[in-house]
């Protein structure tokens, strides 16, 4: 039977709403408003997890996102399972199921616990020093290491939840809605700034909202009730947007921040369907006010990690906010006054405190007096030297500190307890500030890093800026905000503040013990089991920088990213090495502040929306006619059109044959089209293509090759002269955007004197290419009034015409070697024209063909495809296209590079045709080509770039690159496959109709 | 002679509560003069010093490091090691490195955790298939253990990949190099440092180079924050900062230094037991021994030394990760960071002499230098010691940018037709 | 007669948001740098091209959007006839601008799809996928921006309080429309 | 993610832009007169400055105009923006 440790109704908990949940298979109850941690503590459960390395029993240690120990798996073996969830963050809901991780068979009895006994031989970095013999065994060792590492389990099925993004542009962003953040939000919003206030918890007011003590008053009200009124007021301000359950993950340069808004994680599973789970806020703020507060520090002593040991502030919060006592016999251990606030609150709630251990000798404040008045035994100048109890703390031993704090003296006193609260003072939460590029300074008197220089328009206020007491916070805030926001009044100028807090603190990073450090386990990083002696070992071995020590000992590398222990690691290094804290530097705090779900970062960019798809105007027709599609860049292109379960090979053979025997039709709309106008258009083309353009007649088309400035082939296509100063250029499908970008670049930056305008018209046109011996007949039916005679409309020319009153342009150009007509019509009429062609072509067996057949047909003609037959290492000379490189032109892009010593060499790889000895054998694209096997390694001469079985030639054909290939015509070469060698002969790359008779047939 | 690391030394030291371990490397002040100085205490620089001392009998060597050793790209990369490169020159270089990796832990007596869990490269479009097949054929003929896998074989080797044909960029196939894998990045730097230190190399940290002193074409020494140090040979292995050092010597390099980002998830129990890379949708992932998913993102397109990149790059990478591994949607990013990578126009490195006698550069590794660390150090040491490149790095000279004989490893440049 | 197949056939309606394509709308890209170019356009069309960035001008018949210092889009306010794509405005400008070498006129009627959005949730929708800061834009009728929405280039014009015209390249339009509907269904 | 002040469209997110490398490297007017070394200098060699760098950017997803930026590459702070053909506003 578990105990009920609820002490007092809290206004933050709805005790009328009982919530049932399961932990490690057993059902428990909590109340609406509880976190999993508070509900477990109310049921007297402390042991919730095992540590990473030693599998030591661990309990709940904090009440927030800094929790290192109490991490659990939610809903295991379901699609909504989630590993490594902090029990201190998750709000309970009906049906919540949580289980302990990293333990087997159970958290109570964990076989891995044996590591704790092996720990003497497992010091920091032990794995660098062993597992090396025998050499081949590392992977066997590693198998077990991997199995025992890791914490929770990855989901194994896709995520049923959905995520979303939202861009927010605001004037002022305030991070953190503690007392400072709430005040700042009110001031900013009331002064007309578009303001956004973000809070990671589900309530506003931070730690002050439950501060209910006569020691802390504002304008004669308790600080909590004063703040409550302020909160009610800001909720009504129109230009203030408040986001709770929202955690700022990253603070990037230029005030760009990412925050995760949690929308459904607190709801029962069945209420989540169809709702957005989390939203990633992408925030651009003109000004940022960081009010992220501070985290209480633990104290570092032997066995400071047992279940039942919590931060003192967490014990206070569990009592004051959740109405839960963490134990029945409590002890507090502190080096500053804040533990006495916990003591006062616990006392008020009737929770017993056995003793307070204070490592300071001389102390005096109203708070301390109150504890004394309440007859709490205070051990002044003492420290804890050890704790006892395996799965729950049951007693501590304390000793007196020497005057200098370096060692312990006197005799041990044992004190029984079931809960220990520790307080080592406070560390400002400067994570986001440093992420943004802010630089810190070290404040010696209380040993904290605080913001020093700001890299952008931002400010830190409250305890994240090192103002820890209410009076400090309130007196600084008004001044800071006036200056930062450029305003005259905040309305907070004359607050009356009453506080009782002695700022004295005795900071000892590693508390002395009666044992040598090597015999202790004083945890610095609780999750990763990094101890003070590990840090000492690292220093002993020559690791000096904090980054080295961190990496060698894994301190700060856990899921909590060292929020609790990093300062102590630094402090211990400083104490041991004798260097000053301020000079050691800090480790870099890397984003995100708290771990960020991948799904949230991705938002809706999954599945259908992973990447844009582009469709041609005839896309629906292709779908209806069962085309298979190929991804080409972002385009969906018809690949081939299988008929009645045809294989791809059969479909392509059929399509290819039809295109040469009668007629084929291709959707070529994806080719890039650029409208080029201006009085210097011809000159411009002269500069960007390798061949000459000035003399191209109006109405004619010409093929052009474009190089990069390094001389390598970049793109190709046909350009048509529409008018004296007007051309239309086509580019490859994949190259369209980059070609236009490159041309604009030259035009704007190198040749601004040219009068040329470029406009993309790719999407304006549907492009329908009809080819084959019957193409002329088909086009004459589709466009009856167009004179298609070869005299009027020869190859490489165009005509403007109309199809039923709709203007269009027909080009007679060919990528297949067949007579072809390419109709370019406004896109919204494209499907209709396509259907008209299909209808007219029916009697000629017009056959739609896709990209695969197009590739085959052009390969028969030896035409290259940029990107398939080229790979950015081929010059036009390598392609044996010398004919297209103008010798007369003074310059064009890439020309100079063709004349470098290595680009002029004769033994470069050149494009050739390849014929297999066995005409039925089809080469594999990508296969390598060799001449002989005598050398080792085998010298590779080149590779096969394109290969097909040609139904028209009834043999296999291929294109490829061969070193010195242009002089090897007829020579025999070998294609070495894994299990055979294929004999090939170097051939002319033009396999079919070298005389181009078919173009006019 | 340093104490040998082993399970026995661990047990022995346990009895003295690990209070008697000696320093892995000393912390010397610079001498007045060295026979050779290596600028840059990353993996490549430390390996260079190690092999200079070990194989070329140069003992009076210093490694000067601006920050702490291994703190640059060595400690920031995603630790992928493979040698399945297309061109002969690259395959030779990277496989040389891979062979050293295979015995490196024993050689250094430092467990670098080289784990040959295989590297798979995925194809997502027809051109990817051609390119990967081309590479696999070339690898096979170069004696590199790469094989081509069809979609089912990809799925079998890594079952968590979404190989559905209905996704936006379906997996059409892939290649696998089984000898490839990952290693522990810090250990590589520390292992080489310990080894070099043992042979008398001075590893000088927190020592920033401020100038290169030369008399005409002859090198005289380097100016540092710890004073002038005389030397006749300087090997620069400064990665992202190579151009900064080159500018000091009055040289210009064909480099641009750009942000490259990576991230890890929270640690989970083993879920992916290999390395999977995908160029077309740009994502690569493996799982560290600690259990974190290690995910590499791409580079930004601008020069930056800020060690920060843009969020769009990280977001784009995770988009791709969830496209291929939808089960990771609820996993969480624990940490992200950036490095500065020096990129050559042909995506291949430079291990070369320069126009200044005695000044050598090892740079331009771009996004993939970690895998080459031991080979790069070995070949650079050879180049420095002999004032001549080894045949394995001869192609990676600076002159290739003048003559046009580039080693273009961008892979397929464009998607066209 | 040719059939007309515009890409987006459905009109969609959500609480606070309606989306539909408007067609056929004649659209031209006009480009020029010279002062004579601007005055020739003004005289020919009785329309002043906006020279202030990110703005638009309009007459009864036509609207002009600023796209860059030497580039504007002119579109007709009324839909045109489906059976004919010979546009008077284009012919006039070809004569007055292209023929006289003052600048360039390019017909982009089907290059861009015009999607009209109405309702008070327009900007909530945009915020889910555009990095552009709409804070000022939404309060200034006539504002124009070229930016990214769902990784797609778009031109957006504030035509009225809670009404915008969005122009997107045709090949992207179905993807974008689907994306916008998915987003709208969650607002 | 920077905010870049496009000299034509005003302040926009970095995602609307593309970087184009070092500025003020003019394409040689007479490439054929250059030695291989000089051509390589133009083609490949870059200052790659750590510190204040002059560079080119283009507003790809906006007005498509190229312009120059002065940016400190050590911390990514943009110091000035100016149009193509203009003199840098700060030295």
């Amino acid at each position: 039977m578990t105990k009920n440790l609820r002490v007092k109704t809290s206004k933050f908990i709805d005790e009328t709403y009982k919530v049932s949940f399961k932990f490690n298979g057993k059902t428990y109850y909590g109340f609406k408003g509880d976190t999993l941690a508070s509900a477990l503590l109310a049921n007297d459960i402390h042991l919730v997890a095992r540590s990473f390395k030693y599998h030591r029993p661990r309990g709940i240690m904090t009440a927030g996102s800094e929790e290192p120990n109490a991490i659990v798996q939610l809903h295991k073996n379901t699609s909504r399972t989630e590993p490594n969830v902090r029990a201190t963050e998750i709000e309970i809901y009906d049906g919540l199921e949580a289980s302990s991780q990293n333990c087997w068979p159970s958290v109570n009895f964990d076989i891995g616990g044996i590591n704790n006994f092996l720990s003497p031989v497992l010091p920091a970095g032990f794995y660098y020093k062993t597992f090396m013999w025998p050499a081949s065994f590392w992977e066997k060792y590693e198998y077990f290491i991997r199995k025992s590492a890791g914490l929770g389990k990855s989901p194994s099925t896709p995520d049923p939840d959905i995520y979303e993004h939202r861009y927010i542009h605001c004037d002022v962003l305030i991070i953190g809605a503690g007392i400072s953040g709430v005040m700042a939000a009110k001031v900013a919003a009331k002064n007309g700034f578009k303001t956004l206030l973000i809070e990671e918890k589900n309530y506003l007011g931070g730690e002050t909202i439950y501060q209910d003590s006569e020691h802390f008053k504002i304008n004669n009200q308790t600080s909590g009730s004063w703040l409550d009124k302020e909160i009610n007021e800001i909720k009504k301000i129109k230009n203030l947007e408040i986001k709770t359950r929202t955690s700022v993950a990253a603070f990037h340069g230029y005030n760009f921040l990412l925050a995760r808004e949690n929308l459904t994680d607190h709801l029962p599973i069945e209420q989540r369907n169809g709702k957005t789970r989390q939203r990633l806020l992408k925030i651009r703020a003109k000004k940022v006010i960081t009010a992220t507060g501070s985290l209480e520090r633990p104290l570092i002593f032997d066995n400071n990690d047992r279940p039942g040991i919590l931060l003192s502030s967490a014990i206070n919060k569990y009592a004051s906010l959740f109405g839960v006592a963490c134990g029945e016999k409590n002890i507090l251990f502190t080096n500053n006054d804040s533990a006495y606030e916990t003591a006062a609150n616990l006392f008020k709630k009737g929770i017993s405190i056995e003793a307070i251990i204070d490592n300071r000798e001389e102390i005096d404040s109203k708070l301390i007096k109150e504890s004394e008045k309440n007859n709490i035994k205070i051990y002044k100048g003492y420290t804890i030297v050890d704790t006892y109890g395996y799965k729950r703390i049951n007693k501590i031993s304390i000793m007196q500190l020497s005057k200098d704090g370096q060692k312990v003296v006197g005799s041990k006193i044992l004190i029984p307890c079931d809960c220990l609260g520790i307080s080592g003072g406070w560390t400002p939460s400067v994570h986001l500030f440093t992420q943004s590029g802010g630089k810190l300074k070290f404040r010696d008197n209380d040993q904290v890093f605080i913001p020093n220089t700001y890299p952008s328009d931002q400010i830190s206020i409250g305890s994240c800026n090192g103002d820890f007491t209410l009076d400090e916070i309130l007196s600084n805030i008004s001044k800071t905000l006036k200056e930062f926001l450029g305003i005259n009044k905040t309305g907070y100028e004359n607050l009356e503040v009453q506080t009782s807090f002695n700022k004295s603190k005795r900071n000892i990073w590693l508390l002395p013990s009666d044992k040598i450090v090597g015999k202790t386990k004083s945890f610095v990083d609780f999750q990763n089991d990094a101890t003070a002696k590990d840090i000492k070992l690292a220093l002993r071995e020559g690791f000096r920088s904090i980054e080295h020590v961190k990496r060698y000992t894994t301190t700060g590398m856990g899921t909590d990213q060292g929020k609790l222990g990093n300062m102590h690691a630094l402090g211990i290094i400083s104490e041991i090495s004798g260097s000053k804290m301020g000079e050691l530097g800090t480790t870099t705090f890397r984003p995100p502040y708290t771990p960020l779900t991948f799904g949230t970062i991705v938002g809706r960019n999954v599945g259908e929306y992973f990447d844009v798809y582009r469709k041609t105007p005839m896309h629906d027709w292709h779908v209806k006619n069962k085309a298979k599609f190929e991804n080409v860049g972002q385009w969906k292109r018809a690949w081939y059109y299988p008929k009645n379960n045809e294989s791809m090979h059969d479909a392509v053979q059929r399509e290819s044959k039809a295109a040469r025997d009668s007629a084929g039709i291709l959707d070529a709309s994806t080719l890039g089209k650029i409208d080029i106008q201006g009085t210097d258009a011809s000159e411009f083309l002269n500069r960007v293509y390798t061949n000459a353009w000035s003399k191209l007649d109006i109405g004619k088309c010409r093929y052009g090759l474009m190089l990069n400035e390094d001389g390598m082939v970049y793109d190709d296509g046909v350009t048509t002269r529409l008018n004296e100063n007007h051309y239309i250029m086509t580019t490859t499908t994949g190259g369209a955007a980059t070609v236009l970008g490159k041309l604009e670049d030259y035009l704007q930056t190198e040749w601004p004197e040219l009068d040329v305008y470029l406009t993309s018209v790719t999407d304006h046109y549907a492009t329908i290419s009809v080819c084959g011996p019957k193409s002329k007949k088909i086009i004459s039916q589709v466009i009856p009034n167009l004179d298609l005679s070869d005299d009027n409309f020869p190859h490489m020319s165009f005509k403007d015409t109309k199809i039923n009153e709709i203007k269009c342009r027909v080009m007679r150009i060919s990528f297949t070697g067949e007579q072809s007509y390419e109709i370019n019509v406004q896109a919204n009429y494209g499907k209709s024209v396509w259907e008209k062609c299909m209808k007219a072509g029916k009697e000629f067996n017009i056959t739609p063909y896709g990209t695969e057949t197009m590739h085959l047909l052009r390969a028969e003609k030896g035409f290259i495809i940029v990107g398939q037959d080229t790979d950015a290492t081929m010059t036009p000379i390598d392609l044996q296209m010398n004919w297209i490189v103008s010798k007369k032109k003074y310059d064009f892009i890439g020309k100079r590079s063709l004349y470098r010593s290595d680009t002029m060499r004769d033994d470069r790889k050149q494009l050739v045709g390849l014929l297999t000895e066995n005409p039925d054998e089809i080469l594999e694209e990508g296969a390598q080509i060799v001449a002989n096997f005598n050398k080792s390694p085998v010298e590779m001469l080149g590779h096969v770039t394109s290969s097909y079985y040609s139904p028209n030639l009834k043999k296999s054909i291929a294109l490829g690159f061969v070193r010195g290939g242009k002089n090897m015509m007829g020579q025999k070469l070998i294609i070495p496959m894994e299990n055979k060698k294929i004999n090939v002969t170097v051939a002319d790359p033009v396999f079919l109709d070298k005389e181009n008779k078919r173009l006019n047939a | 002679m340093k104490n040998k690391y082993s399970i026995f030394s661990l047990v022995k030291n346990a009895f003295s509560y690990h209070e008697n371990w000696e320093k892995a490397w000393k912390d010397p002040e610079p001498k007045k003069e060295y026979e050779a100085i290596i600028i840059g205490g990353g993996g490549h620089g430390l390996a260079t010093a190690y092999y200079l001392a070990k194989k070329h009998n140069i003992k009076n060597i210093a490694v000067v490091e601006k920050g702490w050793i291994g703190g640059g790209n060595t400690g920031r990369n995603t630790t992928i090691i493979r040698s399945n490169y297309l061109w002969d020159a690259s395959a030779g270089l990277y496989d040389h490195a891979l062979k050293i990796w295979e015995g490196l832990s024993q050689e250094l007596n430092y467990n670098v955790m080289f784990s040959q869990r295989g590297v798979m490269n995925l194809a997502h479009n027809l051109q990817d298939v051609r390119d990967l097949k081309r590479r696999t054929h070339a690898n096979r003929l170069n004696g590199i253990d790469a094989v081509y896998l069809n979609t089912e074989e990809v799925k079998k080797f890594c079952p968590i990949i979404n190989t559905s044909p209905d996704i936006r960029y379906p997996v059409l196939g892939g290649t696998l190099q089984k000898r490839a894998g990952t290693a522990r990045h810090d250990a590589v730097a520390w292992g080489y440092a310990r080894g070099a230190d043992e042979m008398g190399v001075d590893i000088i940290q927190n020592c920033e180079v401020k100038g290169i002193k030369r008399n005409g074409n002859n090198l005289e020494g380097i100016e540092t924050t710890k004073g002038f140090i005389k030397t006749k040979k300087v090997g620069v292995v400064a990665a992202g900062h190579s151009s900064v050092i080159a500018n000091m010597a009055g040289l210009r390099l064909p480099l641009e230094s750009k942000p490259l980002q990576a991230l890890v998830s929270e640690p989970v129990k083993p879920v992916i037991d290999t390395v999977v890379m995908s160029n077309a949708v740009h994502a690569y992932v493996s799982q560290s021994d600690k259990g974190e998913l290690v995910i590499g993102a791409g580079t930004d397109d601008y020069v930056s030394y800020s060690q920060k990149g843009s969020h769009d790059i990280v977001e784009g990478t995770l988009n791709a990760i969830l496209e291929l591994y939808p089960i990771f949607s609820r996993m969480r990013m624990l940490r992200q960071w950036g490095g500065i990578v020096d990129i050559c126009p042909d995506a291949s490195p430079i291990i070369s002499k320069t126009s200044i006698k005695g000044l050598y550069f090892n740079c331009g590794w771009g996004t993939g230098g970690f895998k080459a660390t031991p080979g790069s150090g070995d070949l650079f040491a050879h180049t420095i010691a002999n004032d001549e490149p080894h045949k394995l790095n001869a192609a990676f000279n600076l002159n290739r940018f003048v003559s046009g004989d580039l080693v273009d490893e961008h892979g397929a440049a464009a998607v066209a037709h | 007669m040719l059939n007309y197949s515009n890409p987006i056939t459905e009109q969609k309606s959500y609480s606070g948001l309606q989306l539909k394509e408007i067609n056929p709308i004649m659209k031209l890209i006009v480009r020029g740098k010279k002062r004579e170019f601007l005055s020739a356009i003004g005289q020919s069309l009785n329309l002043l091209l906006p020279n202030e960035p990110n703005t638009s001008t309009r007459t009864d018949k036509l609207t002009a959007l600023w796209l860059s210092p030497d580039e504007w889009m002119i579109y007709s306010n009324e839909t045109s006839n489906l059976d004919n794509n010979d546009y008077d405005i284009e012919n006039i400008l070809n004569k007055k601008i292209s023929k006289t070498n003052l600048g360039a006129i390019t017909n982009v009627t089907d290059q861009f799809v015009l999607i009209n959005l109405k309702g008070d949730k327009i900007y909530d929708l945009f915020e889910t996928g555009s990095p552009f800061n709409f804070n000022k834009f939404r309060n200034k009728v006539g504002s124009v921006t070229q930016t990214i929405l769902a990784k797609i280039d778009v031109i957006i014009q504030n035509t009225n309080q809670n009404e915008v015209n969005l122009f997107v390249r045709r090949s992207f339009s179905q993807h974008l429309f689907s994306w916008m509907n998915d987003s709208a269904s969650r607002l | 993610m920077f905010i870049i002040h496009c000299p034509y469209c005003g302040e926009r997110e970095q995602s609307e832009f593309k970087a184009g490398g070092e500025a003020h490297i003019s394409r040689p007017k007479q490439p054929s007169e250059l030695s291989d070394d000089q051509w390589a200098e133009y083609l490949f060699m870059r200052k790659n400055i750590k510190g204040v760098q002059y560079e080119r950017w283009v507003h790809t997803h906006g007005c498509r105009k190229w312009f120059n930026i002065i940016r400190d590459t050590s911390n990514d702070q943009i110091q000035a923006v100016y149009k193509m053909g203009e003199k840098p506003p700060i030295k």
Side-chain angles (χ1 to χ4, degrees), chain A residues 52 79-85 102 120 123 127-133 135 138-139 142 146-152 155-157 159 161 165 258 277 282 435 516 518-519 528 537 540-541 543-545 547-548 551-552 557-559 561 590-592 595-599 601-602 605 610-613 630-634 636-637 639 671 733-734 855 865-868 871-873 900-902 909 924-928 940 943 976-978, chain B residues 4-7 10-11 14 17-19 21-25 27 68-69 75-76 87-88 105-106 109-111 113-117 125-127 130 133-134 137-138 140-142 168-170 184-187 190 205-206 263 265-273 281 287-293 295 308 311 315 318-320 322-323 326-337 401-405 408 411 413-417:
Chain A
F52 193 81
S79 58
R80 280 198 168 90
T81 192
E82 203 181 357
N84 308 337
V85 175
N102 204 33
Y127 30 79
Y128 299 123
K129 294 173 177 159
T130 183
F131 302 127
M132 289 182 274
W133 296 270
W138 163 243
E139 271 141 47
E142 194 189 26
R146 286 171 83 87
K147 250 184 98 152
S148 71
L151 289 165
S156 55
T157 52
D159 189 349
D161 276 324
H165 287 172
L258 298 172
R277 178 187 177 208
K282 298 179 168 182
Q435 273 183 29
I516 62 163
K519 283 191 186 177
N528 277 347
L537 173 66
R540 185 175 304 119
E541 293 194 79
F543 295 92
R544 285 197 312 154
S545 87
E547 282 292 342
H548 273 167
R551 283 157 180 266
Y552 194 63
M557 307 284 267
T559 63
Q561 292 281 284
R590 285 166 169 161
L596 192 54
T597 304
F598 287 177
I601 298 171
V602 170
N605 301 324
F610 166 60
D611 193 14
V612 176
Y613 55 81
E630 177 192 4
N631 285 315
V632 183
Q634 291 176 320
K636 290 276 176 196
R637 287 200 80 176
W639 188 13
L671 291 178
T733 298
H855 289 178
I865 289 182
V866 173
Q868 176 172 345
D871 66 357
T873 67
R900 293 175 296 172
S901 57
D902 275 318
K909 290 178 183 168
E924 182 166 286
E925 288 170 350
Q928 295 290 326
M940 287 174 259
H943 73 287
M977 300 303 287
E978 221 170 343
Chain B
K4 203 170 164 169
Y5 288 161
S6 70
I7 182 69
L10 276 170
V11 172
Y17 306 103
H18 300 286
E19 305 234 335
W21 289 101
E22 59 184 5
K23 276 194 168 23
W25 54 83
D27 196 15
W68 38 282
I69 59 168
R76 290 164 190 271
W87 301 107
D88 297 351
S105 294
Q106 287 70 33
N109 177 228
Y110 206 93
N111 190 354
M113 302 180 206
F114 177 47
S115 162
Q116 295 180 295
R117 54 187 61 257
N125 59 49
L126 299 173
Q127 190 56 39
R130 288 182 201 106
K133 283 189 173 165
R134 176 186 177 192
H137 285 298
R140 177 167 47 81
L141 295 171
N142 271 323
R168 183 68 181 83
Y169 295 103
R184 170 83 194 136
H185 52 14
D186 291 330
W190 299 343
Q205 302 186 77
N206 294 310
L263 60 103
S265 73
E266 293 182 329
V268 285
K269 294 291 173 193
V271 60
I272 177 168
D273 196 29
V281 301
Q287 189 173 16
S288 72
D289 285 348
K290 214 185 150 190
E292 297 157 331
L293 297 176
I295 294 170
K308 291 193 171 109
H311 169 74
E315 186 178 309
L318 286 173
N319 289 355
L322 293 200
E323 171 80 350
I327 66 164
F328 289 155
S329 174
R330 299 176 87 83
M331 293 286 292
R332 287 189 295 250
M333 174 165 88
L334 176 60
R335 200 163 58 235
Q336 71 171 97
W337 64 92
F401 299 99
V402 175
S403 72
D405 196 13
D408 196 302
V415 196
H417 62 252

Side-chain angles (χ1 to χ4, degrees), chain C residues 145-159:
Chain C
T145 184
Q146 293 175 90
T147 184
I148 311 166
L149 180 61
K151 299 183 275 188
I152 295 170
D153 285 4
V154 289
I155 303 168
I156 305 173
Q157 181 201 10
N158 178 345
T159 54

